[in-house]
Amino acid sequence: MYSKETIERFRNPKNTGEIPNADAVGEVGNMKCGDVMKIYLKVEKNKIKDIKFQTYGCMAAIASSDMLCELAKGKTLDEALNIKFSDITKGLGELPQIKIHCSVLGTHALKKAIENYKSNN
Ligand code: FES
């Protein structure tokens, strides 16, 4: 059902929390399941210097948020925009089909945070 990586990231996420004085924030929700994700970014020289998340949702949403942060850290904003939900699911060692939308929600939250940064800078 869930991979070891998904369970481990759900139990011990490495990137959870808020970044005080974040340069950008992106928040999205899924109307159907009610899960909400918030992504905080610290940007330096067009690169994601730090990224954290706050997610109120299922195991897959939390593990996906954590994996997303891992994948985005250190990337330029444009590189980070190219992160696909399949990169997240691959990093997690796949997700059950009905949980794929949790990884998609992560990419939307990141996109929103980057758009927020671009519109403010
Ligand atoms: Fe909807 Fe996980 S069940 S984001």
Side-chain angles (χ1 to χ4, degrees):
M1 165 108 193
Y2 284 112
S3 68
K4 267 190 187 169
E5 183 72 21
T6 302
I7 294 167
E8 177 56 26
R9 284 190 182 271
F10 168 68
R11 287 195 179 140
N12 300 301
K14 300 180 183 83
N15 305 290
T16 185
E18 187 178 339
I19 299 179
N21 306 316
D23 295 316
V25 180
E27 185 172 348
V28 291
N30 182 304
M31 299 279 273
K32 277 191 193 160
C33 63
D35 289 7
V36 178
M37 274 184 200
K38 203 167 180 178
I39 296 285
Y40 298 87
L41 295 181
K42 205 76 189 158
V43 180
E44 210 175 271
K45 293 182 185 159
N46 210 39
K47 280 191 175 169
I48 298 179
K49 191 171 178 248
D50 198 11
I51 174 168
K52 289 200 181 296
F53 75 91
Q54 286 178 322
T55 294
Y56 304 96
C58 69
M59 182 192 286
I62 290 167
S64 293
S65 306
D66 200 48
M67 179 53 71
L68 171 77
C69 291
E70 208 83 2
L71 293 171
K73 209 176 282 178
K75 285 197 166 54
T76 66
L77 296 175
D78 287 340
E79 285 168 347
L81 279 174
N82 281 326
I83 296 172
K84 297 175 188 62
F85 76 89
S86 52
D87 298 322
I88 296 173
T89 57
K90 202 182 290 171
L92 291 174
E94 298 311 315
L95 281 173
Q97 197 60 36
I98 55 160
K99 292 293 181 178
I100 296 290
H101 78 272
C102 313
S103 61
V104 174
L105 196 61
T107 60
H108 289 172
L110 177 61
K111 188 168 181 237
K112 208 149 179 201
I114 293 173
E115 280 168 0
N116 176 239
Y117 178 80
K118 287 186 171 177
S119 69
N120 291 336
N121 291 274

